[in-house]
Amino acid sequence: MAEDPGTRERILRTAGELFQRQGYHATGLNQVLAEGKAPKGSLYFHFPGGKEQLGAEAMSRGGAAVAEKIMAAMADATDPVDAIATAIRKLADDFVASGFRAGCPVATVALDVAADSELIMVACADAYRSWTALVTGRLIGWGVPPERAEGLATVAIAAVEGALVLARVRRDPAPLREVADRIGALVAAEAGPT
Amino acid sequence: MAEDPGTRERILRTAGELFQRQGYHATGLNQVLAEGKAPKGSLYFHFPGGKEQLGAEAMSRGGAAVAEKIMAAMADATDPVDAIATAIRKLADDFVASGFRAGCPVATVALDVAADSELIMVACADAYRSWTALVTGRLIGWGVPPERAEGLATVAIAAVEGALVLARVRRDPAPLREVADRIGALVAAEAGPT
Amino acid sequence: MAEDPGTRERILRTAGELFQRQGYHATGLNQVLAEGKAPKGSLYFHFPGGKEQLGAEAMSRGGAAVAEKIMAAMADATDPVDAIATAIRKLADDFVASGFRAGCPVATVALDVAADSELIMVACADAYRSWTALVTGRLIGWGVPPERAEGLATVAIAAVEGALVLARVRRDPAPLREVADRIGALVAAEAGPT
Amino acid sequence: MAEDPGTRERILRTAGELFQRQGYHATGLNQVLAEGKAPKGSLYFHFPGGKEQLGAEAMSRGGAAVAEKIMAAMADATDPVDAIATAIRKLADDFVASGFRAGCPVATVALDVAADSELIMVACADAYRSWTALVTGRLIGWGVPPERAEGLATVAIAAVEGALVLARVRRDPAPLREVADRIGALVAAEAGPT
DNA sequence: ACGTCCGGGACGGCCCGTTAGT
DNA sequence: ACTAACGGGCCGTCCCGGACGT
């Protein structure tokens, strides 16, 4: 019965969205509860760790969701350039659709949580690690020399993250599209013609 | 006599540092005042616009400071690869020296201010615009075709921004070094006729 | 067992007294909370509308309390002159007992809230309206022609309100006693020719 | 050259108006300075006693202004009923013209200053005293027995003060007009030889 | 297990009335 | 006569428990 996702789920989902748009400190638990239509006292039942736990779980969720998108985009592509370009372009489209507000779900929180919470930072680090691993694996599959694959994956992810920041500030998806082109080329160059 | 830079200056400088490390919403004015050894009433005198004005001015300052660093690093370099690599490496060293806490002064604020303040967002956008213009100009000087220079500059800046995020989360300057290498190569490929 | 009236009640009562003595703007919520021995968080829980809601409810309370006093004083009196005189004299005694500080609970707030809050002004207007209605009814019962009763009631209430202001400024109940005499006479003149 | 009334005068005038409309505590010195177009530092040059002195002087001014109006209205009238009625009616017209905001310049401040400042309360008391003396004198001139004149004057002033409060809250000049009628009659009854 | 009522401080940013310096 | 600086207080709202009722 795919009925009510449950209070806990609703809270977590709402929190994730708000954190992504507004950041961690700018998002009040009251707002989360109000938008998630959750009763006030329930939060500490489902999340005894309070806001910190909520943030950490939201990061895990967000990280996993992005990982799935990465997999979906790269899974059956055989041409690196196409795969990367279409993946990033899809990301750009989603971003525009959100009104230039929904950037990377992890970066926004990671930057303003900083040293406040080790728990959340670990969740963010895990997210990045999983994405890198995913991309690295795919790059190797495309013929990139294993010893160079992780570095290349890191650069690719960094470029996308940075482009999301630029795009958000400028309210313009162009940086994402530029990155889509150049990073595709970079990968192609390393994937090796011969 | 290396005299007192003045209360206003001290407040602005302290605010800039705290915003960079903790983000906008996580930084309280009380903290700024305490660390800047400024009395509470002075803030309102020097910054009638309150926290928002403080944020906007801090962004302008931070943006200008980064622009100077970019110019200093690229001014007299003739080899693009070297110039970019050393610039980014220097950035990485500063970052490590700060204990992995001082990321991009603009990005941290830009992400958690979001739509809260148009004033601050404009200041952030101006910072990015100035950096892009600076890099674009230098790229053209190095022989990159003008119609491709801006896109390349955007990608370079995006990659560095993203690398700063990754490096901060992982507490590891490796992403910056990876970007230094690959972006240098990317530029060389577009600049060099050979 | 004369138990705890509850936090909300305690806050409201304290606020009412302080507003009456000091006015709305001169009374800080901190003072209300301190004297009412309530923590700040409770106020926000019981009065989500903040100080404005507190003011409006205090006005309703104060208005109702005065209305009861009016009824009690006039209920079983058959002689208008006596009824009015004793009612006002009782008021004067209470006023002296408060150290000349507790004037009309409504007027003090009404004057310094002015246009700040429509909500509070409406509460004040309702209080005055209820008193006028009460007195008007009683006047008719005493034989005042209905078409003149409301005007007479208004004048009586106005005279008492004004006398409270004068008495407070001069720290002297004489104005109230003067009003008690003259208004009684005024009513008698209009009520009973016989 | 009766040109610029001078900074001090401008400040005092503005303060008087604002105190009358908003009350003492609700009126900030910044607002006074801004509306009076006076530089901030000038206030303490002209009014070393700060806000309190400003309030006290404004009360003296306001009190004197009302006294003049009373004199003007009653000076050459021979019929008490007419004199009182027209005086109060004029007051009502001014009040309506101010948008129901400019009540008694003294009462508004007197009530919310309360025990805060002895200086201001004295100024308020003086104002009331001067009005009472003025009216008392005139009543005697009209034939009211001297031993009854002061009480009658007090009641008249009280009724007007109270009517101003009611009128302000209800945004309706009717209470003033009612008072004009009844108090005129009251005076006539005591003045009249018959 | 799940949710509610109520309470509890701490701190958020803003703005107040005031004083030194000159 | 006025710029610059000063603390402290304003009201609001934060994130969080404990007691109670299902």
Side-chain angles (χ1 to χ4, degrees):
Chain A
M1 280 184 283
E3 22 116 12
D4 176 28
T7 302
R8 185 190 152 95
E9 180 62 23
R10 224 164 44 241
I11 291 176
L12 189 51
R13 212 171 291 190
T14 309
E17 286 168 19
L18 291 175
F19 286 155
Q20 181 178 16
R21 283 173 166 72
Q22 308 176 337
Y24 182 75
H25 287 100
T27 301
L29 294 185
N30 285 337
Q31 191 187 1
V32 172
L33 265 357
E35 292 200 17
K37 282 148 181 20
K40 191 146 194 177
S42 300
L43 196 151
Y44 287 85
F45 174 78
H46 293 294
F47 302 89
K51 193 182 189 182
E52 187 177 14
Q53 182 185 352
L54 197 51
E57 292 202 22
M59 289 305 97
S60 298
R61 279 293 181 91
V66 171
E68 274 182 34
K69 283 190 190 171
I70 293 175
M71 276 178 53
M74 291 185 153
D76 36 38
T78 52
D79 181 0
V81 178
D82 271 11
I84 288 175
T86 57
I88 299 182
R89 289 229 171 79
K90 183 166 187 323
L91 215 154
D93 292 342
D94 290 353
F95 175 65
V96 171
S98 81
F100 302 102
R101 287 181 305 173
C104 171
V106 174
T108 307
V109 169
L111 288 187
D112 83 318
V113 160
D116 279 19
S117 160
E118 199 57 37
L119 199 63
I120 295 180
M121 288 312 277
V122 167
C124 292
D126 282 347
Y128 281 128
R129 182 158 31 246
S130 77
W131 303 347
T132 309
L134 227 47
V135 174
T136 300
R138 206 68 198 87
L139 288 178
I140 293 174
W142 281 329
V144 174
E147 71 277 12
R148 305 191 46 108
E150 185 169 343
L152 189 53
T154 299
V155 170
I157 290 170
V160 173
E161 288 286 308
L164 274 170
V165 175
L166 290 185
R168 192 166 173 189
V169 171
R170 291 168 40 181
R171 293 177 202 274
D172 169 13
L176 280 166
R177 307 205 194 282
E178 297 286 354
V179 164
D181 290 344
R182 317 268 171 172
I183 297 300
L186 203 61
V187 168
E190 301 227 22
T194 315
Chain B
M1 263 186 289
E3 29 129 0
D4 176 27
T7 302
R8 186 190 152 96
E9 181 62 24
R10 222 165 46 243
I11 292 176
L12 188 50
R13 212 171 291 189
T14 309
E17 287 168 18
L18 291 174
F19 286 156
Q20 182 178 16
R21 283 174 166 71
Q22 307 176 337
Y24 182 76
H25 286 101
T27 300
L29 293 186
N30 286 334
Q31 191 187 2
V32 172
L33 264 358
E35 294 200 15
K37 282 151 186 16
K40 200 147 198 183
S42 299
L43 192 148
Y44 185 71
F45 174 75
H46 291 294
F47 302 90
K51 193 182 190 183
E52 186 176 15
Q53 183 186 352
L54 198 51
E57 292 202 22
M59 290 304 98
S60 299
R61 281 291 180 92
V66 170
E68 274 182 35
K69 283 189 191 173
I70 294 176
M71 275 176 55
M74 292 186 153
D76 35 40
T78 51
D79 180 359
V81 177
D82 272 10
I84 288 176
T86 58
I88 299 182
R89 290 229 170 78
K90 183 167 186 322
L91 215 156
D93 292 342
D94 290 353
F95 175 64
V96 172
S98 81
F100 303 102
R101 287 180 306 175
C104 171
V106 175
T108 308
V109 169
L111 288 187
D112 83 319
V113 161
D116 279 18
S117 160
E118 199 57 37
L119 199 63
I120 295 180
M121 288 312 276
V122 167
C124 292
D126 283 346
Y128 282 127
R129 180 157 32 245
S130 76
W131 305 347
T132 309
L134 227 47
V135 173
T136 301
R138 207 68 198 87
L139 288 178
I140 293 174
W142 284 329
V144 173
E147 72 276 11
R148 307 191 44 103
E150 185 169 343
L152 189 53
T154 299
V155 171
I157 288 170
V160 172
E161 288 285 309
L164 274 170
V165 175
L166 291 184
R168 193 165 173 191
V169 170
R170 291 167 40 180
R171 294 179 206 274
D172 168 14
L176 280 167
R177 308 206 193 281
E178 298 286 355
V179 164
D181 290 345
R182 318 268 171 172
I183 297 300
L186 203 60
V187 169
E190 302 226 23
T194 313
Chain C
M1 231 149 325
E3 28 128 0
D4 176 28
T7 301
R8 186 190 153 98
E9 181 62 25
R10 222 166 46 242
I11 292 176
L12 189 50
R13 214 171 290 190
T14 309
E17 287 168 18
L18 292 175
F19 286 156
Q20 182 179 14
R21 283 173 166 72
Q22 308 177 337
Y24 183 76
H25 287 100
T27 301
L29 293 186
N30 287 334
Q31 190 187 1
V32 172
L33 265 359
E35 293 200 16
K37 280 146 184 21
K40 201 144 200 180
S42 297
L43 191 147
Y44 184 70
F45 174 77
H46 291 291
F47 303 89
K51 192 182 190 183
E52 186 176 14
Q53 183 186 351
L54 198 51
E57 292 202 21
M59 289 306 97
S60 299
R61 280 292 181 92
V66 171
E68 274 181 35
K69 284 189 190 173
I70 294 175
M71 275 176 56
M74 293 187 153
D76 35 39
T78 51
D79 180 1
V81 178
D82 272 10
I84 288 176
T86 57
I88 299 183
R89 290 228 170 81
K90 184 165 186 324
L91 215 155
D93 292 342
D94 291 353
F95 175 63
V96 171
S98 81
F100 302 102
R101 287 181 304 175
C104 172
V106 174
T108 308
V109 169
L111 289 187
D112 85 319
V113 161
D116 279 17
S117 159
E118 198 56 38
L119 200 62
I120 295 180
M121 287 313 276
V122 167
C124 292
D126 282 347
Y128 282 127
R129 180 157 33 245
S130 76
W131 304 347
T132 308
L134 227 46
V135 174
T136 300
R138 206 68 198 84
L139 289 178
I140 292 174
W142 283 329
V144 173
E147 72 275 13
R148 307 192 43 109
E150 184 169 346
L152 188 54
T154 299
V155 170
I157 289 170
V160 172
E161 288 285 310
L164 274 170
V165 174
L166 290 184
R168 193 167 174 188
V169 170
R170 291 168 40 182
R171 292 179 205 274
D172 169 13
L176 280 166
R177 307 204 194 283
E178 297 286 354
V179 164
D181 290 345
R182 318 267 171 173
I183 297 299
L186 203 60
V187 170
E190 302 226 23
T194 313
Chain D
M1 279 185 285
E3 20 117 9
D4 176 27
T7 302
R8 187 190 149 92
E9 181 62 24
R10 223 166 43 243
I11 291 176
L12 188 51
R13 212 171 292 190
T14 310
E17 286 169 20
L18 292 174
F19 286 155
Q20 182 178 16
R21 283 174 166 71
Q22 307 176 338
Y24 182 75
H25 286 100
T27 301
L29 293 185
N30 287 335
Q31 191 187 1
V32 172
L33 265 356
E35 293 199 17
K37 284 151 183 15
K40 187 145 195 179
S42 299
L43 196 151
Y44 285 85
F45 175 76
H46 293 295
F47 302 90
K51 193 181 190 183
E52 187 176 14
Q53 182 185 352
L54 197 51
E57 291 202 22
M59 288 306 96
S60 298
R61 280 292 181 93
V66 171
E68 275 182 35
K69 283 190 190 172
I70 294 175
M71 276 177 54
M74 292 186 153
D76 35 41
T78 52
D79 180 359
V81 178
D82 273 10
I84 289 175
T86 57
I88 299 182
R89 289 230 171 78
K90 184 166 186 322
L91 215 156
D93 292 341
D94 291 353
F95 175 65
V96 172
S98 81
F100 302 103
R101 286 181 306 174
C104 172
V106 175
T108 308
V109 169
L111 288 187
D112 85 319
V113 161
D116 280 18
S117 159
E118 198 58 35
L119 200 62
I120 296 180
M121 288 312 276
V122 167
C124 292
D126 282 347
Y128 282 127
R129 183 158 28 247
S130 77
W131 304 347
T132 309
L134 227 47
V135 174
T136 301
R138 207 68 196 86
L139 288 178
I140 292 174
W142 282 330
V144 174
E147 73 275 12
R148 305 190 47 102
E150 184 168 344
L152 188 54
T154 299
V155 171
I157 289 171
V160 173
E161 288 286 308
L164 274 170
V165 175
L166 290 185
R168 192 164 172 191
V169 170
R170 291 168 40 180
R171 293 178 205 274
D172 168 14
L176 280 167
R177 309 206 193 281
E178 297 286 355
V179 164
D181 290 344
R182 317 267 171 173
I183 297 299
L186 203 61
V187 168
E190 302 226 21
T194 313

